[in-house]
Amino acid sequence: MSMLTLRIDDKLDQQLNELSKATGKSRSDIAREAIKSQVFLSRLESLRAKGVPMAQAQGILTDEDVFALVS
């Protein structure tokens, strides 16, 4: 497993400490989950940006169009 060092401002440090105490999770666990979530969201947005034009070209324009395909 790799190690990452990062700098955060005092306010964020305080908020992280409070969240850690409130949830019983370590600061590292919280940071790891946040990074994992951000990576997922970035990848999802990238896929969406590529997929939307292809879907539109096939006439898939709304959520209802998608639901009709998968139902």
Side-chain angles (χ1 to χ4, degrees):
M1 184 179 286
S2 297
M3 183 180 288
L4 171 68
T5 303
L6 62 122
R7 296 181 194 281
I8 57 176
D9 62 39
D10 292 339
K11 183 176 180 180
L12 183 56
D13 186 51
Q14 179 183 354
Q15 292 171 331
L16 182 57
N17 284 329
E18 291 169 1
L19 183 59
S20 177
K21 288 177 186 173
T23 61
K25 295 180 181 179
S26 71
R27 293 163 45 98
S28 291
D29 284 341
I30 294 167
R32 190 177 304 107
E33 289 172 9
I35 293 168
K36 186 176 181 179
S37 178
Q38 184 58 47
V39 168
F40 172 80
L41 290 173
S42 293
R43 292 179 71 194
L44 182 61
E45 183 58 32
S46 176
L47 287 171
R48 184 182 178 284
K50 293 175 186 174
V52 166
M54 289 187 276
Q56 289 174 337
Q58 299 206 7
I60 303 167
L61 304 174
T62 67
D63 289 343
E64 289 78 18
D65 295 337
V66 173
F67 294 137
L69 289 172
V70 297
S71 298

